[in-house]
Amino acid sequence: MQTRINTSFIRVAGLTLKVSRKRIRNLYLRVTNGQLLVSAPFFLSDESVARFVRGKLDWIKEKLEASRAVAEIFEDGKELAVWGGQFPIAIHPFAGFNSVRAEAALIHVYCREHNDPAVIAALIAAWRKEILLSPGRQALEMWRRKLGIPYPLE
């Protein structure tokens, strides 16, 4: 069974929320890497989500402050440690999409709509995780083929 998820962004009290609409019954709010994530049922309107979030503003601000205190701040030109080397970051706000791409001796960070340090930190963290997992996935696939193990692995 394939699950359907619709993702959108809404602004509430100066904060950007990533709203994922799913087949669920309740509304869930979490702060991850300085980003506000809301899981909402399909039938709930944006205004209902915004009303819920406004009721939790004190809690949200407390969690965002704690998250930002822990999160590493990335700025244009700051060097990022990757695979034992130091590479400068080029931040491109309002790019229309979120992405991190490495090019020769520069790491480009593309941000949709804003230049929020928490979003940039989350993008870089996800990119670092992907580049660390990629060689392991390739080795797993190679050994799966050599040993004749059927795909997908479960």
Side-chain angles (χ1 to χ4, degrees):
M1 179 177 167
Q2 187 176 6
T3 58
R4 191 177 69 163
I5 299 174
N6 294 341
T7 303
S8 62
F9 293 87
I10 61 173
R11 303 260 312 153
V12 176
L15 301 170
T16 302
L17 306 170
K18 180 178 180 182
V19 181
S20 298
R21 297 198 185 278
K22 308 174 183 182
R23 278 188 64 183
I24 55 176
R25 292 184 184 184
N26 297 312
L27 191 61
Y28 300 97
L29 170 68
R30 62 192 178 281
V31 177
T32 305
N33 294 328
Q35 191 175 21
L36 288 170
L37 306 171
V38 178
S39 296
F42 284 112
F43 62 84
L44 211 57
S45 69
D46 283 349
E47 182 52 42
S48 298
V49 172
R51 191 172 33 253
F52 174 78
V53 169
R54 280 189 211 103
K56 304 285 185 188
L57 280 177
D58 291 337
W59 179 84
I60 290 169
K61 289 180 180 176
E62 178 184 317
K63 294 296 179 184
L64 282 174
E65 286 302 318
S67 177
R68 286 187 178 126
V70 172
E72 185 178 357
I73 302 298
F74 297 101
E75 298 169 341
D76 206 29
K78 182 176 179 179
E79 291 195 341
L80 179 67
V82 179
W83 290 116
Q86 295 287 335
F87 301 94
I89 300 172
I91 298 175
H92 307 281
F94 307 105
F97 57 94
N98 288 336
S99 178
V100 178
R101 296 183 182 144
E103 177 184 285
L106 190 62
I107 298 172
H108 296 276
V109 181
Y110 299 93
C111 299
R112 182 184 322 159
E113 298 177 15
H114 46 70
N115 195 7
D116 186 358
V119 173
I120 292 169
L123 287 170
I124 290 174
W127 178 74
R128 279 178 163 167
K129 181 178 178 181
E130 181 59 34
I131 65 170
L132 290 173
L133 291 176
S134 182
R137 286 188 189 120
Q138 291 171 356
L140 183 63
E141 179 61 21
M142 178 194 69
W143 284 107
R144 183 194 66 77
R145 273 194 238 121
K146 283 186 177 187
L147 296 173
I149 299 172
Y151 188 79
L153 299 172
E154 292 181 9

